[in-house]
């Protein structure tokens, strides 16, 4: 595997038209080497806010409940060390205004530094089609929510359900606590 250098960095930046970051995977951390000007905006952040949040480990922007998925993907990249393979993972990142947003990250090894992989990661957020589905779920009178069946964590709550509860943020909330102020799953669930 080629040792990562400034020439590879400039080529990667030039060839990538979307939102991306280049990370060095070191000691279970994602060390940011470069990122596109639009990347902070995916989290509703300014460039300075993004740099401050991710300076020690870019995984800090990932919602805590989803960090295991990112960690597993990093582990797979380290184990396989396959420059021809790409690795994809979908997870939530912290968003300054709306709590969190879903992103899909696709990573590919582009070199190494001190024997550890350097990856380029392209990011995509919800498509216009997904926004249409969200609008559809929000435009009816029914309360609709989606949970993680293993943890009971709320993954989506539509606007009528939020209005019914008088709450706007459901990040890191379980359904039984958010809707019923309980500390354990409901007996009927």
């Amino acid at each position: 595997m080629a040792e990562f250098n400034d020439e590879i960095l400039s080529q990667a930046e030039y060839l990538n038209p979307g939102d991306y970051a280049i990370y060095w995977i070191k000691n279970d951390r994602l060390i940011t080497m470069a990122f596109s000007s639009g990347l902070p905006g995916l989290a509703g952040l300014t460039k300075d806010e993004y740099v401050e949040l991710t300076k020690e480990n870019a995984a800090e922007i990932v919602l805590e409940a989803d960090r295991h998925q990112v960690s597993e993907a990093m582990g797979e990249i380290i184990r396989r060390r396959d420059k021809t393979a790409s690795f994809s993972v979908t997870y939530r990142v912290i968003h300054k205004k709306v709590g969190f947003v879903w992103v899909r990250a696709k990573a590919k090894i582009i070199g190494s530094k001190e024997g550890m992989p350097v990856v380029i990661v392209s990011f995509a957020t919800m498509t216009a089609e997904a926004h249409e589905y969200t609008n559809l779920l929000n435009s009816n009178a029914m309360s609709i929510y989606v949970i993680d069946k293993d943890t009971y964590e709320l993954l989506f709550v539509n606007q009528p359900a939020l209005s019914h509860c008088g709450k706007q943020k459901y990040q890191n909330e379980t359904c039984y606590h958010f809707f019923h102020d309980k500390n354990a799953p409901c007996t009927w669930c």
Side-chain angles (χ1 to χ4, degrees):
M1 187 176 324
E3 187 69 14
F4 190 79
N5 59 43
D6 289 338
E7 182 180 346
I8 294 171
L9 177 62
S10 66
Q11 287 174 0
E13 290 173 339
Y14 176 75
L15 295 173
N16 197 320
D19 291 317
Y20 73 91
I22 297 173
Y23 301 118
W24 175 28
I25 301 175
K26 180 182 179 188
N27 300 329
D28 294 323
R29 295 183 304 143
L30 292 171
I31 308 301
T32 304
M33 301 180 79
F35 59 89
S36 65
S37 60
L39 187 59
L42 296 182
L45 301 172
T46 66
K47 178 182 177 183
D48 291 340
E49 290 169 331
Y50 179 82
V51 168
E52 181 63 28
L53 180 62
T54 62
K55 67 182 175 189
E56 297 294 322
N57 182 2
E60 290 296 317
I61 202 164
V62 176
L63 208 62
E64 191 169 345
D66 293 351
R67 288 184 188 158
H68 70 280
Q69 292 169 250
V70 174
S71 180
E72 286 176 6
M74 286 189 325
E76 184 67 16
I77 290 168
I78 291 169
R79 276 189 299 283
R80 290 187 47 198
R81 307 259 178 151
D82 182 354
K83 285 187 73 171
T84 63
S86 62
F87 305 85
S88 297
V89 62
T90 301
Y91 55 92
R92 295 165 291 172
V93 296
I94 297 165
H95 191 281
K96 184 177 174 180
K97 295 179 181 149
V98 297
F100 68 85
V101 293
W102 287 92
V103 298
R104 178 127 181 106
K106 192 168 187 177
K108 187 169 182 68
I109 295 173
I110 59 172
S112 67
K113 182 175 178 180
E114 297 177 15
M116 297 303 292
V118 174
V119 296
I120 188 163
V121 182
S122 61
F123 297 92
T125 59
M126 289 177 56
T127 64
E129 184 177 272
H131 282 295
E132 285 297 318
Y133 290 127
T134 299
N135 290 338
L136 178 65
L137 294 173
N138 283 331
S139 66
N140 69 70
M142 292 179 19
S143 291
I144 300 170
Y145 60 95
V146 178
I147 67 166
D148 179 308
K149 68 178 183 162
D150 296 322
T151 66
Y152 300 93
E153 180 185 5
L154 289 164
L155 302 175
F156 172 80
V157 179
N158 75 341
Q159 197 57 52
L162 293 170
S163 296
H164 177 76
C165 292
K167 301 176 182 177
Q168 288 302 311
K169 302 244 180 190
Y170 56 92
Q171 177 180 335
N172 296 324
E173 286 274 2
T174 57
C175 55
Y176 52 82
H177 185 262
F178 186 82
F179 291 112
H180 304 290
D181 208 25
K182 294 183 176 282
N183 293 324
C186 304
T187 56
W188 62 85
C189 191

